[in-house]
C-alpha cells in the first residue's frame, strides 16, 4: 500500500467519523428531548464515549504512517535487554523519527483494536433502538 494514499485516507477518516458520530449523538439527544424514548440519552453516551478510543487509535496510526513515510534510512540496531539485532529505519534530517518493522505488527493490532472500538460501539449505539426490541422479544 502506498504510504501517501494511506495517510490521505487516515486524514479523511480521522475527521469524518467523529463528525458523523457527533451527528448521531445529537440526533439521539434530540429524540430524548422530544420524549420519543428516554433511553436515547444513554445511547448518545454509548456513541460519544468510544470516540476517545478512536482518537487514541487514530493518533497512534497516524504517527506510524508518518514515521513510515519519513524514515527511509536503514540501519541495524541492537536491543539492549535481549541482545537481538533488528532493522531500524530513521529519518536523516530528524533522528527522532524512526520505526522498527518488527514492532509494526503489534502496533497495528493495538491501534486497530482501539479504532475498532471507536467505530463499532457508536454503530451499536445508533442501532440500539432497533436492536433493543429484539432482545426484549428473546428474553
Amino acid at each position: 500500500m502506498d504510504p501517501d494514499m494511506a495517510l490521505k485516507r487516515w486524514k479523511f477518516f480521522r475527521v469524518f467519523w467523529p463528525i458523523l458520530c457527533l451527528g448521531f449523538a445529537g440526533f439521539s439527544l434530540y429524540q430524548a428531548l422530544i420524549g420519543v424514548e428516554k433511553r436515547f440519552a444513554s445511547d448518545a453516551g454509548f456513541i460519544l464515549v468510544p470516540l476517545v478510543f478512536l482518537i487514541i487509535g487514530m493518533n497512534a496510526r497516524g504517527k506510524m504512517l508518518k514515521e513510515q513515510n519519513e524514515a527511509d534510512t536503514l540501519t541495524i540496531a541492537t536491543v539492549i535487554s535481549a541482545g537481538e539485532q533488528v532493522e531500524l529505519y530513521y529519518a536523516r534530517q530528524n533522528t527522532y523519527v524512526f520505526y522498527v518493522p518488527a514492532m509494526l505488527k503489534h502496533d497495528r493490532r493495538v491501534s486497530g483494536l482501539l479504532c475498532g472500538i471507536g467505530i463499532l460501539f457508536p454503530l451499536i449505539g445508533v442501532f440500539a433502538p432497533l436492536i433493543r426490541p429484539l432482545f426484549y422479544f428473546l428474553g
Side-chain angles (χ1 to χ4, degrees), residues 100 105-106 118 128:
V100 179
K105 187 176 182 181
H106 174 265

Side-chain angles (χ1 to χ4, degrees), residues 2-131:
D2 181 26
D4 289 334
M5 188 62 178
L7 194 57
K8 287 178 185 177
R9 268 189 286 189
W10 171 82
K11 286 179 181 179
F12 171 77
F13 194 68
R14 183 180 183 191
V15 172
F16 173 73
W17 188 251
I19 290 172
L20 188 64
C21 286
L22 289 174
F24 290 155
F27 177 73
S28 293
L29 289 174
Y30 172 74
Q31 293 289 338
L33 288 175
I34 64 172
V36 173
E37 188 176 338
K38 297 296 180 195
R39 291 191 179 148
F40 274 103
S42 63
D43 294 345
F46 205 71
I47 293 169
L48 292 176
V49 171
L51 286 180
V52 173
F53 292 100
L54 179 77
I55 291 168
I56 293 169
M58 290 299 282
N59 283 339
R61 182 64 56 112
K63 183 179 180 219
M64 284 188 294
L65 288 171
K66 179 184 174 196
E67 289 169 349
Q68 285 180 321
N69 202 19
E70 292 180 10
D72 57 357
T73 305
L74 173 65
T75 189
I76 302 297
T78 303
V79 180
I80 295 173
S81 63
E84 182 181 350
Q85 291 190 341
V86 294
E87 291 182 346
L88 180 130
Y89 288 88
Y90 67 95
R92 287 181 189 219
Q93 59 275 27
N94 184 1
T95 57
Y96 291 106
V97 176
F98 67 92
Y99 76 96
V100 179
M103 292 179 57
L104 281 181
K105 187 176 182 181
H106 174 265
D107 293 345
R108 283 185 183 145
R109 282 185 187 161
V110 171
S111 68
L113 177 67
L114 293 172
C115 289
I117 290 170
I119 293 169
L120 184 63
F121 279 66
L123 290 176
I124 293 171
V126 167
F127 293 110
L130 302 173
I131 298 171

